[in-house]
Amino acid sequence: QANLRSMLQLCKNANGDFYVPQFGHNGIGNWDVSQAYWVDMLEEFSFEMIGIPVDPETEIPLQAGWSGVSYYPRVETEAEIAFGSIVEFLSMAKDQNGNFYYPALEFSNMETLRPGLGYQVHVIEDVGLIWSWENGERIAATCNSKSTPGNFEFRSRTGANMSLLVENQYGITGEIGVFAGDLCVGAGVLDGQKYCGIAIWGDDQASSQIDGAILDCELELVLLDSEWQPSNVDFSIDVGDLIYRSDDFLKVSIDPKNDYPETINLVSSFPNPFNNNLRITFELTKASKITATVYDISGREVNSILDNTLSTGQHNCVWNAKNA
């Protein structure tokens, strides 16, 4: 459509072939309904595609590495279901907003897949993708909820991104911002769940200003707590590096560093001597399964007062010795 071409700056496929209407160059050739295409628009624009609907069970051949694929079924479906036929070969899938599905950890913050949209997929070997979906009785699947950061400003959809998965085993709440120098290039909300997925956006080379992370630049993570104050935590790297590379994967874990003891330590037993209740305070160097048991002077067990997995830091347990 002429009005679409006037709004379109660049269209490219997963192989990097591109179409530039301004200069009349078409390196893509004919439209392939099985592929996904990236488009850079001057402003928001909607258009209708007219043709014969594709059989939703048409197989899409994928080569090892990254590919762009079109979603055929006429119903919305969760990523975990849609990619069911290739899950054993699938490293990651991403949508246009940088949200991703990471099967190895059963994590997804993608909204439901929708007909007509394209998706990026990375597979470990050549495989054929046949879309899976639940029967047509259900029109749409339930979208995964995703909170929007309110304290970090960044530009999204710059054309390339990197995926960050944050493991939050301590249930911390707040917001995480990702910075390349002084520029925020991505952010996410910690809502107490185990994982938080964040898209780190790269620089848009078509723009005259720097609006994303430059290739191979160092990244910094900043956590604001629920009061929107900088939080004193460590980020340990589990997978990847704090270096921006398009389509890379980075996983980090949050470790509070306020009260890290150097050794396992029994801090106090108070009061001592005591009457009914004894409070025992101790410190752990790492998350551990802890048991606390009381024995009498002949070695017989009197009470089990603690049997639980606890996080790093200082803890208390209380023994009520009223009947001992």
Side-chain angles (χ1 to χ4, degrees):
Q1 302 171 358
N3 54 350
L4 170 60
R5 290 195 298 272
S6 68
M7 296 292 179
L8 177 65
Q9 295 194 94
L10 179 71
C11 174
K12 61 182 179 179
N13 62 18
N15 296 322
D17 304 318
F18 57 92
Y19 165 49
V20 188
Q22 179 183 355
F23 299 105
H25 171 75
N26 179 11
I28 293 178
N30 293 332
W31 188 274
D32 182 346
V33 295
S34 69
Q35 287 203 33
Y37 294 87
W38 288 256
V39 292
D40 187 7
M41 304 295 294
L42 289 171
E43 59 185 67
E44 290 186 10
F45 188 89
S46 297
F47 69 98
E48 181 182 9
M49 300 191 67
I50 301 173
I52 300 171
V54 180
D55 182 346
E57 295 189 2
T58 301
E59 182 177 277
I60 304 175
L62 303 177
Q63 294 182 335
W66 285 102
S67 300
V69 295
S70 175
Y71 181 67
Y72 292 151
R74 308 293 288 180
V75 295
E76 298 184 18
T77 308
E78 295 103 327
E80 297 90 332
I81 297 173
F83 292 103
S85 68
I86 61 167
V87 68
E88 61 184 302
F89 306 102
L90 180 66
S91 302
M92 185 187 301
K94 298 197 290 186
D95 63 20
Q96 76 277 12
N97 295 314
N99 303 322
F100 58 93
Y101 169 40
Y102 194 73
L105 294 175
E106 299 182 348
F107 171 83
S108 176
N109 63 353
M110 291 175 63
E111 294 184 351
T112 52
L113 277 68
R114 291 188 287 141
L117 290 186
Y119 297 87
Q120 283 180 270
V121 295
H122 187 279
V123 292
I124 58 175
E125 61 182 70
D126 294 357
V127 66
L129 167 62
I130 298 178
W131 290 114
S132 304
W133 72 97
E134 294 194 345
N135 62 53
E137 294 178 3
R138 189 173 69 165
I139 298 176
T142 302
C143 293
N144 292 319
S145 60
K146 186 170 185 283
S147 302
T148 303
N151 292 276
F152 294 103
E153 293 185 3
F154 60 95
R155 182 188 167 192
S156 63
R157 298 194 189 187
T158 53
N161 60 62
M162 174 179 172
S163 301
L164 166 63
L165 186 63
V166 180
E167 184 169 352
N168 180 22
Q169 61 177 320
Y170 299 103
I172 293 171
T173 57
E175 292 186 5
I176 290 182
V178 185
F179 286 82
D182 295 330
L183 181 67
C184 184
V185 293
V189 177
L190 296 176
D191 54 7
Q193 299 298 313
K194 183 177 180 181
Y195 292 117
C196 171
I198 298 173
I200 303 173
W201 293 94
D203 183 45
D204 183 359
Q205 297 296 306
S207 170
S208 59
Q209 63 183 23
I210 297 178
D211 44 23
I214 304 296
L215 184 66
D216 292 329
C217 74
E218 294 187 3
L219 302 171
E220 180 185 3
L221 306 181
V222 175
L223 173 61
L224 299 182
D225 61 23
S226 55
E227 302 297 325
W228 316 128
Q229 299 298 314
S231 185
N232 190 26
V233 299
D234 281 329
F235 294 95
S236 58
I237 300 175
D238 304 322
V239 179
D241 297 296
L242 275 172
I243 301 292
Y244 176 78
R245 298 184 182 94
S246 180
D247 290 328
D248 249 12
F249 177 73
L250 169 65
K251 180 179 179 293
V252 302
S253 297
I254 302 177
D255 295 316
K257 63 181 182 181
N258 296 347
D259 302 311
Y260 271 29
E262 295 182 358
T263 60
I264 297 176
N265 182 28
L266 182 64
V267 178
S268 67
S269 300
F270 181 84
N272 187 14
F274 70 100
N275 186 8
N276 285 343
N277 293 321
L278 173 68
R279 178 180 294 274
I280 303 169
T281 302
F282 58 94
E283 292 179 330
L284 301 179
T285 59
K286 62 180 181 179
S288 308
K289 188 173 191 298
I290 299 297
T291 61
T293 308
V294 179
Y295 299 89
D296 67 16
I297 197 169
S298 62
R300 291 175 297 188
E301 181 176 327
V302 175
N303 279 120
S304 175
I305 57 177
L306 180 63
D307 184 3
N308 202 358
T309 298
L310 302 177
S311 60
T312 306
Q314 192 171 99
H315 301 274
N316 298 296
C317 64
V318 176
W319 178 36
N320 186 322
K322 181 178 180 180
N323 297 319

